[in-house]
Amino acid sequence: MEAQKKRVAVLVGCNYPNTANELHGCINDVLAMKETLVKRFGFDDSNIEVLTDAPNSCKLPTGANIKQALAKMVDGAKAGDVLYFHYSGHGTRIPSKKHGHTFHHEEAIVPCDFNLITDLDFRQLVNRLAKGASLTILSDSCHSGGLIDKEKEQIGPSSSVQKGSTSKTCYTLTHKTIPYDSIQQHLSSLTKATTTDIGTHMLELFGSNASLRFQTASHALLEALGPDEGILLSGCQADETSADMNPGVAGKAYGAFSNAVEMVVREKEGELSNREVVVRARKVLQGQGFDQHPCLYCSDENADATFLGHPQKTEH
């Protein structure tokens, strides 16, 4: 029955405080989205898990903790359930060993302990979704296009885009990316190993909690299973960066894409399709002068399906 369908979310915000990679708006992004999920989309507060690296956080957004929260959400899902993962933080790209890869890199997000979660890990989550359940991922991070391995592009690099003008805001802009070389240097400083193979460092530090991308022969089994219920809204294309905006004392910091989606949801009453959310967010960012282009990856059917499942609530 409709009333028995669950709406469950995992929200992750990584600001990397007091580090060279510090961001400022990521925790604000997920706290704002939590409020939106409850007030606009009918989520119950008790079904939303929030992981941040704020001071005194009870559960840090490490790679293992994020994957544990996602596994609990996915493995507990039944037909009709609507699952949502919102990530705001750094992204990175790993050199690809696959022939014919569009950008010659694999996409990943960067948890606070640098235990990368890759496109292959998200593919595994989608593959094990219960039939009839859906998983929407919104990643406000650099290089986030293609974060679900082998998911079909609906709006992406092949879509016509216009370059934004120079940002019109007076905020300090930080790109939400940590270069691959910087990640490798950080990991090697911890392992003391001289190898340039990032997988060796990952397995040494994180063992079985390391991404499937670095586990021996694991990815051969993870093919796309045809049209599925994975839906990715990415803050930018795989070869682009996403912006973290910090107004300093003037106001609250935010991620440009997270903020654009919030604006789209506020301005349009009633239902929005996944395609509409991305197209409208692109227009918002272009109007604000940002040079990043949100993307949509999902099946043809889900491109025009309602964002976050069944009909939304509207505030009066």
Side-chain angles (χ1 to χ4, degrees), residues 232-251:
L232 171 66
L233 292 77
S234 67
C236 61
Q237 297 174 178
D239 61 341
E240 292 182 331
T241 57
S242 292
D244 179 71
M245 305 303 296
N246 181 20
V249 296

Side-chain angles (χ1 to χ4, degrees), residues 85-119:
F85 174 54
H86 190 118
Y87 173 77
S88 184
H90 279 302
T92 194
R93 298 197 292 175
I94 306 163
S96 177
K97 297 180 180 179
K98 295 188 297 187
H99 295 294
H101 194 280
T102 305
F103 294 113
H104 310 293
H105 290 86
E106 314 292 352
E107 297 76 33
I109 61 172
V110 186
C112 67
D113 62 346
F114 281 57
N115 183 7
L116 304 181
I117 301 177
T118 71
D119 54 349

Side-chain angles (χ1 to χ4, degrees), residues 27-87:
I27 295 174
N28 292 337
D29 290 341
V30 297
L31 295 180
M33 181 52 69
K34 180 181 180 181
E35 185 176 349
T36 298
L37 292 177
V38 173
K39 291 184 177 180
R40 176 72 185 267
F41 292 100
F43 282 68
D44 190 295
D45 189 79
S46 63
N47 286 332
I48 301 174
E49 183 169 4
V50 180
L51 286 75
T52 75
D53 54 4
N56 304 315
S57 175
C58 60
K59 193 172 186 181
L60 289 170
T62 63
N65 284 345
I66 295 171
K67 287 194 285 189
Q68 182 183 52
L70 290 173
K72 178 182 176 183
M73 177 172 71
V74 167
D75 294 342
K78 297 180 181 178
D81 289 353
V82 175
L83 312 183
Y84 180 64
F85 174 54
H86 190 118
Y87 173 77

Side-chain angles (χ1 to χ4, degrees), residues 7-257:
R7 302 170 75 73
V8 186
V10 174
L11 313 178
V12 174
C14 294
N15 276 345
Y16 317 90
N18 304 314
T19 72
N21 305 301
E22 186 167 12
L23 299 172
H24 296 90
C26 300
I27 295 174
N28 292 337
D29 290 341
V30 297
L31 295 180
M33 181 52 69
K34 180 181 180 181
E35 185 176 349
T36 298
L37 292 177
V38 173
K39 291 184 177 180
R40 176 72 185 267
F41 292 100
F43 282 68
D44 190 295
D45 189 79
S46 63
N47 286 332
I48 301 174
E49 183 169 4
V50 180
L51 286 75
T52 75
D53 54 4
N56 304 315
S57 175
C58 60
K59 193 172 186 181
L60 289 170
T62 63
N65 284 345
I66 295 171
K67 287 194 285 189
Q68 182 183 52
L70 290 173
K72 178 182 176 183
M73 177 172 71
V74 167
D75 294 342
K78 297 180 181 178
D81 289 353
V82 175
L83 312 183
Y84 180 64
F85 174 54
H86 190 118
Y87 173 77
S88 184
H90 279 302
T92 194
R93 298 197 292 175
I94 306 163
S96 177
K97 297 180 180 179
K98 295 188 297 187
H99 295 294
H101 194 280
T102 305
F103 294 113
H104 310 293
H105 290 86
E106 314 292 352
E107 297 76 33
I109 61 172
V110 186
C112 67
D113 62 346
F114 281 57
N115 183 7
L116 304 181
I117 301 177
T118 71
D119 54 349
L120 206 64
D121 299 305
F122 290 111
R123 165 49 56 197
Q124 186 211 38
L125 285 169
V126 170
N127 281 6
R128 70 190 213 223
L129 258 179
K131 185 176 178 59
S134 66
L135 172 61
T136 299
I137 296 172
L138 189 153
S139 190
D140 189 354
S141 57
C142 291
H143 315 303
S144 48
L147 197 56
I148 303 176
D149 189 48
K150 300 184 179 70
E151 197 62 64
K152 183 175 181 179
E153 175 194 314
Q154 299 290 342
I155 302 172
S158 63
S159 306
S160 60
V161 297
Q162 289 180 287
K163 293 291 185 182
S165 58
T166 303
S167 179
K168 301 171 185 175
T169 70
C170 58
Y171 290 13
T172 300
L173 183 154
T174 304
H175 295 297
K176 301 169 83 167
T177 183
I178 302 178
Y180 172 77
D181 289 345
S182 297
I183 288 177
Q184 193 173 56
Q185 289 171 14
H186 174 74
L187 297 175
S188 62
S189 73
L190 298 176
T191 63
K192 310 302 181 187
T194 58
T195 179
T196 58
D197 177 40
I198 193 171
T200 300
H201 297 299
M202 285 290 180
L203 293 171
E204 173 72 20
L205 290 169
F206 305 113
S208 61
N209 282 321
S211 169
L212 290 171
R213 179 67 66 189
F214 311 118
Q215 307 283 351
T216 305
S218 59
H219 28 117
L221 304 174
L222 290 176
E223 294 298 322
L225 303 178
D228 55 49
E229 297 304 315
I231 303 162
L232 171 66
L233 292 77
S234 67
C236 61
Q237 297 174 178
D239 61 341
E240 292 182 331
T241 57
S242 292
D244 179 71
M245 305 303 296
N246 181 20
V249 296
K252 192 176 283 189
Y254 61 85
F257 180 52

